[in-house]
Amino acid sequence: MALPLLPGNSFNRSVLSFDAYFDEEVPEKNQELYRIRHCKIYFYLEDDTIQVVEPQVKNSGIPQGTIVRRHRIPLPPPNEDQFYTVDYFNINTEVIFYARRYKIVDCDQFTKCFLRKLGVRLNPPAYHPEDPYTRGRQKIADSMKPLRPYERFDTLKQFLEYDGHVLRFYCMWDDTESTFGDPRELILHYFLADDTIEIKEVIPVNSGRDAVPLFLNRKKLPKYAPAGLYQPGAITDRTVLNVFGGLVGNKGRYILDNRKTGTVHQEFYKDSDLTIGAVINVWGRRVKLCDCDEFTKEYYMTKYGIKDFTPIPFKAPPPSKIEKKFPPYTGFGSEEDSLCSCLSLLPQPPQKDFKKFMEKDRKGLESNLLRFLAKFITDNPIDKDRQFIISYFLSDDTISVFETPQRNTGILGGKFLERSRIKKPGQELFKSEISEYFKAQDLFVGAKVCFHGHNFLLVDADEYAFNYMEKHADEFPMANISLILNKLKAIGEPSSREIKQIFAATDPDHTKVIEYNPFRNLMVNITGGKLSEHEIMTIGRHYSEQNEFEMDINFLLAVAQEQLKKNSVENFGQLSATFVYNDREKCGLLPHEKCRTICKSFRLPLADDLLRALLTMFEDGKEQVDYKKFVNGLNWRENPVPTFQTIKVPIKYEDDWSGQPPSLPVKRIKYLPLIQDVFGIEE
């Protein structure tokens, strides 16, 4: 009865294995009448399929492998309408597969246990017959004694274990005794896979020697006796014997000597012979091992327990580097251009920092231009009131000076200094080194600079300069609030209690804020003038009351309308209709990013930062933009913004700057957080 087995049941991947054989007639040979062929019968429990496989036998001459592929096999006639099941299998029984009779002689342990659980009474194992022809061939093979014994040297294990592992030693061969000889630096490679050695020579530059691939080709390096080299033919792996000696037809019969009579024992260098300080014989050349790499040290430490790898100095000290001296500047052209004529045979123009120029060039509203208000340092009453705007261009480190025009002074304003790089004063003119120029870090409020003999005092800066320096505080120490607070702490920590009392006395009404002018005078008195004007302004800006500073919307609208007018953009009705279409709730408000995407789809000729600023001006508290007011503001046809309303003085200053704090948008300072950050005082 067949078992109700289904795919995926408990018998999935369960197979019964039986050992069997069948005999096959050999009618075409007189040496044998039949041949016994052993095979395996596999019965798959999941679907009652059967497979017959014959194991491969070397040099059998018979195609072996799968005899019957896996499938359900029908019973022999007259029951060919039924299939074999597990009930037909037992030890010491016969089964017929397609007219071929198989004798089952044994099975594995799993099959025995499974059949016993089914209630099958197992027969005792049967006898394994032998093939007489195969047994005869085996006797002949065992009785054969080869006249040429073969020695097998199994180096596969060593190769698989150490393939790619190479020991490296740095060596020296002292060849000074020979004519025109000198010390030779060598590198020895020992290949652990096959105990071979390869030596390369390190040829110095301009040594006059020809570059050769290898000093010693990769091979086993023998150890030789002190007497010298062996003669050719003295070293042989095996001895060849002439059995007949040319007596039979002047022909010899040669065999290899199994006793190895007359062979010369030869030793080769092993890894145990290579240590730092050892001297090896490389075909008559004494090579000294002086150092090794890290892998070699780890190998000897692990295998031999060696821990001392002190290198032996073998390299001559390098010659002193000749200092390259350039001739002094002649005064013709720029210093960089004059230096380029000394660096190459064909003079090249000086290279400019193009990457810095691309990063720091003007981009939209990001000007990368620092502007400062300055005045002369002089006692001349005429020059004392003159005011200048110093512009520093971050893209190429150039400076320009512009004098602001003033009425009834008798001095015409305008360009005072052409845009160029300015050298710092006090440097020698005709020298070999490149002169030092003014950098952005040298310009800050309160700094004294000298431009071509004119001494300036920087008294103020525009808002963009303050913001840029605070944004890049790691480049500008005067705008780095962390450095300033540490400096203030070092100055005022010994008298922190007195400083607290001074701040409390300055605020008698306990408003916790101080006006900027008293705060500035207080900081000057506390620090004794050790803080610059710019550092005091940085503190004031950091701890000031954050008033909502509203940008002049008329100025932004005027700039936007000017751009739209130049590009003849007048499709404001279509723009408004698009906003209304996207307003599903018909509330007159759209998100900021949605409005920006719609404006980008219309390709409005407005910079992205300007567009964002305009949309921010028309936002409510939830970042929803009133798009109707926004479109009306851009409509230069119906709502033009007068140009004169956009004109503003970029830098505000007072008439008298001597000893007076500069004008800032900062009005009042919260001093309690400052005291807490500096001295840790919470009161």
Side-chain angles (χ1 to χ4, degrees):
M1 180 179 66
L3 296 176
L5 303 178
L6 296 175
N9 58 15
S10 59
F11 297 109
N12 189 17
R13 298 184 181 180
S14 297
V15 184
L16 304 183
S17 176
F18 298 92
D19 297 332
Y21 71 90
F22 65 94
D23 54 351
E24 184 180 31
E25 294 183 358
V26 186
E28 66 273 7
K29 295 181 65 177
N30 297 328
Q31 294 84 355
E32 55 179 341
L33 300 178
Y34 65 95
R35 183 172 297 177
I36 302 298
R37 299 177 63 176
H38 298 276
C39 60
K40 289 275 189 179
I41 299 177
Y42 297 108
F43 185 88
Y44 295 86
L45 295 173
E46 60 181 353
D47 54 0
D48 291 348
T49 55
I50 300 174
Q51 183 183 13
V52 181
V53 178
E54 182 181 8
Q56 296 283 349
V57 178
K58 188 177 181 180
N59 296 328
S60 65
I62 302 174
Q64 295 172 328
T66 301
I67 299 177
V68 179
R69 63 179 177 82
R70 178 181 173 182
H71 67 289
R72 297 184 69 188
I73 300 178
L75 294 175
N79 300 320
E80 60 269 13
D81 57 341
Q82 300 179 18
F83 296 91
Y84 275 100
T85 63
V86 69
D87 300 329
Y88 291 93
F89 290 88
N90 199 343
I91 301 176
N92 202 0
T93 59
E94 293 183 354
V95 291
I96 301 175
F97 298 156
Y98 300 111
R100 177 174 287 177
R101 189 179 300 273
Y102 296 87
K103 180 65 177 291
I104 300 176
V105 294
D106 202 355
C107 62
D108 60 1
Q109 190 63 31
F110 172 77
T111 305
K112 293 179 180 179
C113 295
F114 184 82
L115 293 177
R116 287 194 183 101
K117 290 180 180 180
L118 292 180
V120 178
R121 179 176 296 179
L122 294 177
N123 300 327
Y127 169 70
H128 287 262
E130 295 184 359
D131 184 7
Y133 178 75
T134 305
R135 183 172 64 252
R137 287 191 55 184
Q138 186 64 34
K139 289 182 179 180
I140 296 174
D142 295 340
S143 62
M144 292 180 61
K145 295 182 179 180
L147 297 178
R148 299 174 180 266
Y150 173 72
E151 291 183 349
R152 178 177 177 84
F153 300 96
D154 188 8
T155 59
L156 180 61
K157 179 181 178 181
Q158 180 183 0
F159 174 79
L160 295 177
E161 184 176 359
Y162 294 107
D163 184 29
H165 296 182
V166 182
L167 305 181
R168 176 181 295 178
F169 290 90
Y170 303 99
C171 319
M172 190 268 294
W173 169 40
D174 190 1
D175 191 31
T176 55
E177 296 181 358
S178 62
T179 306
F180 305 111
D182 55 356
R184 311 282 284 273
E185 184 180 350
L186 307 174
I187 297 178
L188 184 145
H189 292 158
Y190 184 90
F191 297 86
L192 295 172
D194 53 0
D195 299 326
T196 55
I197 292 178
E198 171 188 272
I199 300 179
K200 295 182 179 181
E201 182 178 2
V202 180
I203 301 178
V205 181
N206 298 327
S207 63
R209 297 186 179 276
D210 294 333
V212 295
L214 289 174
F215 184 82
L216 176 67
N217 289 332
R218 179 178 175 180
K219 61 179 65 176
K220 286 189 176 183
L221 184 62
K223 301 179 182 179
Y224 292 102
L229 300 176
Y230 292 107
Q231 297 298 323
I235 303 176
T236 57
D237 295 335
R238 298 295 300 273
T239 302
V240 181
L241 300 179
N242 189 348
V243 179
F244 298 109
L247 299 177
V248 181
N250 294 328
K251 293 182 180 181
R253 178 67 177 178
Y254 300 97
I255 62 174
L256 295 178
D257 184 11
N258 193 19
R259 301 288 182 178
K260 298 184 179 180
T261 306
T263 59
V264 179
H265 179 66
Q266 189 178 22
E267 294 184 359
F268 297 93
Y269 281 105
K270 301 291 184 180
D271 56 350
S272 57
D273 302 322
L274 306 180
T275 57
I276 296 179
V279 178
I280 62 175
N281 190 345
V282 182
W283 299 101
R285 297 171 178 83
R286 295 175 58 84
V287 176
K288 187 175 184 179
L289 308 183
C290 301
D291 199 1
C292 59
D293 60 0
E294 294 298 328
F295 173 78
T296 306
K297 295 178 182 178
E298 187 69 24
Y299 175 81
Y300 280 95
M301 187 181 302
T302 304
K303 185 173 182 179
Y304 298 104
I306 300 176
K307 298 182 179 179
D308 185 14
F309 298 98
T310 304
I312 300 175
F314 64 99
K315 293 184 179 180
S320 59
K321 187 176 181 180
I322 301 176
E323 184 180 358
K324 185 183 295 185
K325 295 183 178 180
F326 298 102
Y329 175 54
T330 59
F332 294 95
S334 64
E335 294 183 358
E336 293 80 1
D337 192 12
S338 178
L339 180 62
C340 288
S341 62
C342 304
L343 298 177
S344 61
L345 187 61
L346 298 177
Q348 301 291 334
Q351 297 292 331
K352 296 182 179 180
D353 194 348
F354 185 73
K355 180 180 179 182
K356 179 180 179 181
F357 176 79
M358 294 299 295
E359 292 177 352
K360 299 298 182 181
D361 194 19
R362 184 182 184 93
K363 298 177 183 178
L365 297 180
E366 191 72 20
S367 63
N368 289 311
L369 172 65
L370 307 182
R371 295 191 298 175
F372 299 88
L373 184 65
K375 68 174 184 177
F376 271 137
I377 303 177
T378 181
D379 295 332
N380 189 343
I382 298 177
D383 295 338
K384 188 176 181 180
D385 296 333
R386 299 174 65 181
Q387 297 167 350
F388 303 87
I389 297 178
I390 298 177
S391 301
Y392 187 91
F393 297 85
L394 295 171
S395 60
D396 54 0
D397 299 327
T398 56
I399 299 175
S400 66
V401 182
F402 179 84
E403 184 175 4
T404 58
Q406 300 183 39
R407 291 185 178 182
N408 301 327
T409 59
I411 299 175
L412 297 177
K415 185 185 296 184
F416 183 82
L417 181 63
E418 187 74 26
R419 176 180 175 180
S420 62
R421 298 173 66 193
I422 301 178
K423 298 180 182 179
K424 291 185 177 181
Q427 302 183 77
E428 184 182 353
L429 180 60
F430 302 104
K431 61 182 185 302
S432 301
E433 296 80 13
I434 298 295
S435 299
E436 187 177 358
Y437 294 86
F438 278 101
K439 299 181 180 179
Q441 290 76 11
D442 300 325
L443 304 182
F444 54 88
V445 178
K448 297 179 181 179
V449 294
C450 180
F451 296 161
H452 301 305
H454 299 281
N455 296 319
F456 293 94
L457 174 65
L458 306 185
V459 295
D460 200 1
D462 63 357
E463 185 65 23
Y464 179 82
F466 282 116
N467 292 332
Y468 183 88
M469 297 172 77
E470 292 171 0
K471 184 178 179 181
H472 302 81
D474 54 338
E475 302 177 12
F476 298 92
M478 295 298 174
N480 193 330
I481 189 63
S482 300
L483 297 179
I484 299 173
L485 292 181
N486 293 335
K487 185 177 180 181
L488 182 60
K489 182 178 181 180
I491 296 173
E493 191 170 12
S495 57
S496 59
R497 183 178 298 274
E498 291 78 3
I499 293 175
K500 176 188 174 184
Q501 294 175 357
I502 293 174
F503 274 103
T506 309
D507 183 24
D509 298 333
H510 303 288
T511 59
K512 299 182 181 181
V513 292
I514 303 176
E515 297 292 333
Y516 180 77
N517 291 341
F519 174 79
R520 182 255 181 192
N521 298 331
L522 185 61
M523 295 300 297
V524 172
N525 296 332
I526 291 175
T527 60
K530 295 182 180 180
L531 291 182
S532 65
E533 192 69 39
H534 199 117
E535 291 175 323
I536 298 176
M537 296 168 68
T538 302
I539 297 175
R541 291 170 58 88
H542 186 75
Y543 292 98
S544 64
E545 284 188 338
Q546 300 296 331
N547 296 327
E548 293 294 334
F549 177 72
E550 297 182 359
M551 187 182 297
D552 189 358
I553 190 172
N554 291 331
F555 177 76
L556 295 179
L557 289 177
V559 174
Q561 288 186 5
E562 186 69 20
Q563 294 293 330
L564 297 176
K565 187 185 298 183
K566 287 182 179 179
N567 291 272
S568 302
V569 177
E570 301 183 12
N571 54 346
F572 299 106
Q574 186 178 358
L575 179 62
S576 178
T578 305
F579 278 115
V580 173
Y581 175 77
N582 286 273
D583 184 9
R584 303 300 183 184
E585 298 180 359
K586 305 303 179 182
C587 59
L589 300 175
L590 284 175
H592 180 100
E593 290 299 326
K594 186 65 176 179
C595 296
R596 178 171 169 267
T597 304
I598 294 174
C599 294
K600 288 293 184 181
S601 64
F602 274 80
R603 297 183 179 179
L604 296 181
L606 301 177
D608 188 65
D609 48 4
L610 176 59
L611 179 60
R612 289 178 180 271
L614 283 172
L615 292 174
T616 305
M617 289 299 174
F618 293 98
E619 282 183 358
D620 57 2
K622 299 181 180 180
E623 297 185 357
Q624 298 289 325
V625 180
D626 189 345
Y627 57 83
K628 294 182 180 179
K629 294 182 179 180
F630 172 71
V631 176
N632 292 334
L634 295 180
N635 195 339
W636 55 272
R637 282 290 187 186
E638 298 180 0
N639 304 308
V641 178
T643 308
F644 70 90
Q645 294 184 9
T646 67
I647 300 177
K648 288 190 172 184
V649 180
I651 301 180
K652 299 180 180 180
Y653 50 86
E654 299 178 0
D655 295 337
D656 188 8
W657 285 87
S658 58
Q660 298 294 329
S663 60
L664 283 176
V666 178
K667 300 300 181 182
R668 297 191 299 177
I669 311 299
K670 297 183 290 186
Y671 64 88
L672 288 181
L674 171 62
I675 297 176
Q676 182 179 354
D677 293 343
V678 176
F679 306 112
I681 300 175
E682 300 180 358
E683 299 181 9

